[in-house]
Amino acid sequence: MIIVTGAAGFIGSCLIQRLNQDNFNYIIAVDDFSDEQKNKNLDGKKIQERVDREHFFEWLDANYQEVEFCFHIGARTDTTEFNIDIFNKLNLNYSKKIWKKCHDYQIPLVYASSAATYGLGEFGYDDNESLIPQLKPLNPYGESKNDFDIWALKQEEQPFFWAGLKFFNVYGPNEFHKGRMASVIWHTVNQIKNTGEMKLFRSHNDDYKDGEQMRDFIYVKDVVEVCIYLMHHRRNSGIYNLGSGTARTFLDLVKNTFKALDVPENISFIDTPEDIRDKYQYFTEANMSKLQSIGYDKNFTTLEEGVNDYVQNYLVAEKYY
């Protein structure tokens, strides 16, 4: 029995599909299942039971003896949300409770952290655990993720294996429900369909030209491969970066999206919205040596390959993974 929280969401649903491919079908899907658009991510997947996140701990107390692994992917991920109480409830305190239960019941745990913890990158993008208390996230979402990482590292009582994964800019199928928080590729395809062009955020930093802001974009299929690896590995507990290891520009991303659609490039620029302008990361790039040092040796999908697969096989076809 494998638990996946955030099961109906983008990464959680892709993880369930990947587990199903390896015949792990005894899946306990935990989420708030009130969003019918999001629930479509689970159509066709093999799931043993759906458990509402508000009732999950009661369920776990009654069924823990059957649980083999827990993937805690669920979180409030809106970087434009500034109600700290929401993040304290869903990202911090809920995660603490899962950690404690996984310790008490000796369930191995992989949980989702975020590259948002790195803020402007003042201390680089190395997953050095001694630096984590010094990091300066730019918004309450990043703060909530960093607060939990700091808390986890201080705990003497731990699950016998645990890993926190700092997801960088994940893109790929099953994000139809995400709206403003969906990847730039999703927005690009929709804008091209509607207007024939794509508007990118203008740079408000003299060190970067318009469209040359850089992020570490990682394909969701690579993210779930790492999750599967850790489920079997169950050694070397700690916090790990999870990106491609290579920063690319938003122009690279959008140009490849036009190419995948076989549509002539038509790119313009608009001001970055003021509510996120001073919280905007201009560069991220994961140092992936720590994950590789524990034996993970699969190559990460290139941006060109990932965009092409996502656009042609999922967005254009309006299919789920």
Side-chain angles (χ1 to χ4, degrees):
M1 186 181 284
I2 298 172
I3 294 165
V4 179
T5 74
F10 163 40
I11 297 172
S13 62
C14 288
L15 176 57
I16 291 173
Q17 176 65 20
R18 181 63 184 81
L19 287 164
N20 286 170
Q21 287 173 10
D22 282 356
N23 291 317
F24 290 102
N25 302 326
Y26 206 12
I27 307 295
I28 305 304
V30 181
D31 212 323
D32 170 2
F33 295 103
S34 62
D35 183 341
E36 288 305 316
Q37 174 73 11
K38 191 168 75 166
N39 290 342
K40 291 178 183 178
N41 286 336
L42 294 177
D43 287 352
K45 293 175 175 58
K46 294 175 182 176
I47 291 167
Q48 180 69 20
E49 189 174 349
R50 298 188 188 199
V51 179
D52 187 276
R53 71 180 183 211
E54 296 296 328
H55 303 132
F56 169 60
F57 295 110
E58 300 162 33
W59 179 93
L60 186 58
D61 288 340
N63 295 277
Y64 68 89
Q65 290 177 316
E66 295 184 71
V67 177
E68 182 182 353
F69 207 92
C70 178
F71 291 103
H72 177 35
I73 309 299
R76 181 62 178 264
T77 59
D78 188 344
T79 57
T80 64
E81 173 65 69
F82 288 92
N83 184 341
I84 293 172
D85 291 340
I86 290 175
F87 291 111
N88 283 340
K89 176 184 176 183
L90 296 179
N91 293 6
L92 185 57
N93 295 330
Y94 198 91
S95 299
K96 287 180 179 180
K97 198 166 182 180
I98 285 181
W99 174 285
K100 290 173 180 174
K101 293 289 186 183
C102 285
H103 164 263
D104 292 347
Y105 299 142
Q106 286 302 286
I107 299 168
L109 170 68
V110 166
Y111 73 85
S113 182
S114 172
T117 58
Y118 286 117
L120 293 174
E122 299 95 333
F123 299 96
Y125 297 93
D126 296 337
D127 41 10
N128 180 339
E129 291 170 8
S130 67
L131 292 176
I132 286 174
Q134 301 176 53
L135 299 180
K136 300 176 181 177
L138 296 172
N139 51 48
Y141 164 69
E143 289 170 356
S144 69
K145 288 295 188 178
N146 203 50
D147 286 347
F148 182 71
D149 288 344
I150 291 169
W151 180 88
L153 290 169
K154 289 180 179 177
Q155 300 311 298
E156 293 184 6
E157 294 187 335
Q158 305 176 348
F160 74 85
F161 167 74
W162 66 273
L165 297 177
K166 287 181 181 264
F167 296 153
F168 278 66
N169 278 64
V170 187
Y171 68 93
N174 298 11
E175 58 171 354
F176 291 111
H177 65 284
K178 290 186 68 176
R180 185 180 180 184
M181 289 295 109
S183 71
V184 173
I185 301 167
W186 185 89
H187 286 290
T188 300
V189 169
N190 280 280
Q191 283 196 33
I192 292 170
K193 280 182 181 178
N194 294 327
T195 67
E197 67 172 337
M198 175 60 184
K199 297 181 185 294
L200 281 173
F201 289 157
R202 186 172 286 116
S203 173
H204 300 273
N205 182 327
D206 292 340
D207 293 336
Y208 295 86
K209 295 179 181 177
D210 291 343
E212 294 189 4
Q213 304 95 316
M214 301 184 78
R215 299 285 178 85
D216 188 329
F217 300 103
I218 180 166
Y219 199 25
V220 71
K221 291 183 181 181
D222 291 334
V223 168
V224 299
E225 285 300 324
V226 171
C227 289
I228 297 292
Y229 173 79
L230 291 171
M231 182 180 74
H232 293 297
H233 184 72
R234 301 192 188 193
R235 300 188 303 280
N236 311 105
S237 293
I239 294 174
Y240 294 88
N241 280 341
L242 186 43
S244 70
T246 303
R248 299 290 297 271
T249 69
F250 281 98
L251 275 175
D252 288 337
L253 192 76
V254 171
K255 285 173 180 285
N256 276 289
T257 306
F258 275 100
K259 183 177 180 181
L261 288 169
D262 196 22
V263 172
E265 290 176 16
N266 185 3
I267 302 167
S268 58
F269 298 93
I270 58 172
D271 286 344
T272 304
E274 289 191 12
D275 66 334
I276 62 171
R277 191 177 300 177
D278 63 344
K279 311 289 185 186
Y280 188 84
Q281 291 174 305
Y282 277 81
F283 178 87
T284 65
E285 185 175 78
N287 180 342
M288 292 302 298
S289 60
K290 187 175 175 183
L291 183 68
Q292 292 160 347
S293 75
I294 66 166
Y296 190 80
D297 59 4
K298 290 190 176 182
N299 292 325
F300 290 100
T301 307
T302 67
L303 185 69
E304 289 75 9
E305 293 166 341
V307 170
N308 192 65
D309 183 51
Y310 180 28
V311 171
Q312 292 195 355
N313 295 321
Y314 300 98
L315 289 178
V316 171
E318 295 187 358
K319 289 185 177 179
Y320 292 81
Y321 175 64

